[in-house]
């Protein structure tokens, strides 16, 4: 079954005094590109999160947003470097005395001086905290995959319907193909006889020319390959492995075959069928760009 590359998932988990919320957004892209946004304190988890995503997804641009909140009022704590603050105070006081200006020194001004106030980050242990993050990731991924599967089923139904339509057009081309050289031979004989004006012609030479033209216009191999590609497409869509790249390649080959059929078979009926097939192939190529 096919999976779409588009989806959204959200998961939450709590533990070690923290609550982790994970949101995952995915859109179509040729290869897998994982972008992770998480608080600076927890950047050590980035590679683990990326590997976690890669184990479940194979294509698409995936944005992972991780937010972590402290529970039980355990927040970032501020500390004041009293020694540095005193040094700033003495320096400002001495400067005011030397310049004979008022020394308007307040606590607010001292706290604004560089490095006086420092943030004490809450401590955490990667080994015990990672299972919490993984739990939130797992829930978010489950949501994402469910949405991608649902969208993939709709894409597959559309692609299967278009493939069935193409098969009908190709079968019509196959039925029409044998008539093309016979009709062409008849028109050629009439035209040659008209140009000869009653002169005797070598029938063997004429038949040889007709045979050569019929061989050049023969599209049997192209039809067989085109039908084979349709079978491969159905098989790929029914499989369990990601099929987006394979479907894209099969559609390119189908486009090549139908182009050849259109150029070799100089027949109005077949040309109309070729145009119809090309229209469906173009729509399928657009749909496949969103298949994982």
């Amino acid at each position: 079954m096919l999976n779409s590359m588009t989806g959204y998932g959200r998961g939450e988990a709590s533990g070690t005094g923290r609550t982790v919320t994970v949101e995952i957004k995915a859109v179509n892209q040729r290869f897998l590109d994982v972008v992770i946004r998480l608080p600076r304190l927890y950047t050590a988890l980035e590679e683990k999160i990326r590997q976690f995503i890669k184990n479940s997804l194979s294509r698409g641009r995936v944005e992972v947003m991780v937010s972590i909140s402290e529970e039980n009022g355990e927040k970032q704590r501020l500390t004041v470097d009293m020694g540095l603050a005193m040094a700033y105070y003495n320096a400002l006081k001495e400067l005011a005395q030397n310049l004979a200006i008022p020394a308007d020194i307040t606590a607010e001004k001292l706290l604004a001086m560089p490095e006086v106030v420092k943030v004490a980050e809450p401590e955490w242990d990667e080994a015990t905290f990672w299972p919490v993050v993984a739990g939130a990731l797992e829930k978010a991924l489950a949501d994402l995959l469910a949405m991608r599967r649902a969208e993939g089923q709709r894409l597959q139904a559309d692609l299967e319907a278009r493939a069935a339509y193409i098969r009908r057009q190709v079968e019509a081309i196959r039925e029409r193909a044998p008539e093309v050289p016979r009709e062409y031979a008849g028109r050629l004989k009439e035209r040659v006889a008209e140009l000869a004006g009653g002169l005797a012609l070598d029938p063997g030479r004429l038949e040889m020319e007709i045979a050569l033209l019929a061989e050049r216009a023969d599209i049997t191999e192209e039809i067989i390959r085109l039908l084979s590609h349709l079978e491969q497409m159905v098989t790929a869509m029914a499989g369990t492995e990601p099929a987006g790249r394979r479907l894209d390649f099969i559609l390119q080959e189908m486009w090549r075959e139908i182009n050849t059929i259109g150029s070799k078979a100089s027949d109005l009926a077949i040309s109309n069928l070729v145009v119809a097939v090309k229209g469906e192939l173009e729509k399928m190529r657009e749909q496949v760009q969103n298949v994982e």
Side-chain angles (χ1 to χ4, degrees), residues 269-286:
I270 290 180
S271 295
N272 290 335
L273 292 168
V274 166
V275 170
V277 171
K278 284 185 174 182
E280 290 302 301
L281 285 177
E282 190 60 40
K283 293 173 184 175
M284 292 174 79
R285 289 170 71 176
E286 292 176 2

Side-chain angles (χ1 to χ4, degrees), residues 22-284:
V22 175
E23 292 182 90
I24 304 177
K25 298 178 182 178
V27 295
N28 59 314
Q29 184 163 293
R30 186 172 179 82
F31 301 103
L32 181 62
D33 179 22
V34 182
V35 179
I36 301 170
R37 298 182 175 87
L38 73 166
R40 178 182 55 81
L41 177 62
Y42 302 94
T43 52
L45 296 174
E46 183 172 338
E47 190 53 38
K48 280 190 174 182
I49 293 172
R50 179 171 282 104
Q51 192 57 49
F52 197 98
I53 297 297
K54 287 183 176 181
N55 289 339
S56 299
L57 306 177
S58 62
R59 294 180 75 193
R61 176 178 171 81
V62 183
E63 294 185 12
V64 184
M65 289 143 286
V66 182
S67 59
I68 301 171
S69 60
E70 306 292 332
E71 298 176 354
N72 303 321
E74 185 182 350
K75 303 294 184 181
Q76 293 179 337
R77 295 180 297 277
L78 301 180
T79 60
V80 178
D81 189 333
M82 295 303 298
L84 183 60
M86 183 61 71
Y88 277 126
Y89 174 81
N90 292 331
L92 289 170
K93 188 175 180 181
E94 183 180 354
L95 179 64
Q97 291 175 350
N98 291 336
L99 297 178
I101 58 176
D104 184 17
I105 306 173
T106 64
E108 182 179 357
K109 287 183 178 179
L110 289 175
L111 288 174
M113 300 302 287
E115 303 296 328
V116 171
V117 178
K118 297 181 180 179
V119 178
E121 302 282 8
E123 296 182 357
W124 63 285
D125 179 67
E126 182 175 334
T128 56
F129 184 50
W130 169 247
V132 182
V133 178
L137 272 170
E138 189 172 354
K139 293 175 183 177
L141 266 174
D143 276 359
L144 175 72
L145 292 174
M147 184 177 291
R148 285 162 66 113
R149 279 193 296 270
E151 176 65 18
Q153 289 175 359
R154 290 190 286 270
L155 287 172
Q156 183 165 342
D158 181 76
L159 289 171
E160 287 175 345
R162 296 186 188 281
Y165 175 82
I166 289 176
R167 179 180 294 278
R168 292 194 296 271
Q169 308 314 304
V170 176
E171 291 293 349
I173 291 174
R174 180 153 66 175
E175 291 178 8
R176 173 64 182 165
E179 301 299 323
V180 174
R182 284 196 287 267
E183 292 181 4
Y184 185 80
R187 291 196 302 270
L188 182 61
K189 288 178 180 179
E190 291 176 3
R191 183 61 175 160
V192 170
E194 181 182 342
L195 293 174
L199 296 175
L201 299 173
D202 182 357
R205 180 60 184 274
L206 182 59
E207 292 299 327
M208 182 181 297
E209 291 298 328
I210 291 173
L212 288 173
L213 290 171
E215 183 178 353
R216 294 192 193 110
D218 184 30
I219 55 176
T220 303
E221 292 184 7
E222 287 78 8
I223 291 173
I224 291 173
R225 285 195 293 267
L226 192 48
L227 292 172
S228 173
H229 293 327
L230 280 169
E231 291 296 334
Q232 293 174 32
M233 175 174 288
V234 172
T235 301
M237 288 191 289
T240 58
E241 296 296 322
R245 290 194 185 95
R246 185 178 178 188
L247 290 176
D248 191 37
F249 174 76
I250 291 172
L251 286 170
Q252 290 179 31
E253 294 303 304
M254 291 173 66
W255 187 269
R256 192 196 317 276
E257 300 299 342
I258 198 66
N259 258 338
T260 304
I261 289 173
S263 62
K264 290 178 69 174
S266 302
D267 178 72
L268 180 59
I270 290 180
S271 295
N272 290 335
L273 292 168
V274 166
V275 170
V277 171
K278 284 185 174 182
E280 290 302 301
L281 285 177
E282 190 60 40
K283 293 173 184 175
M284 292 174 79

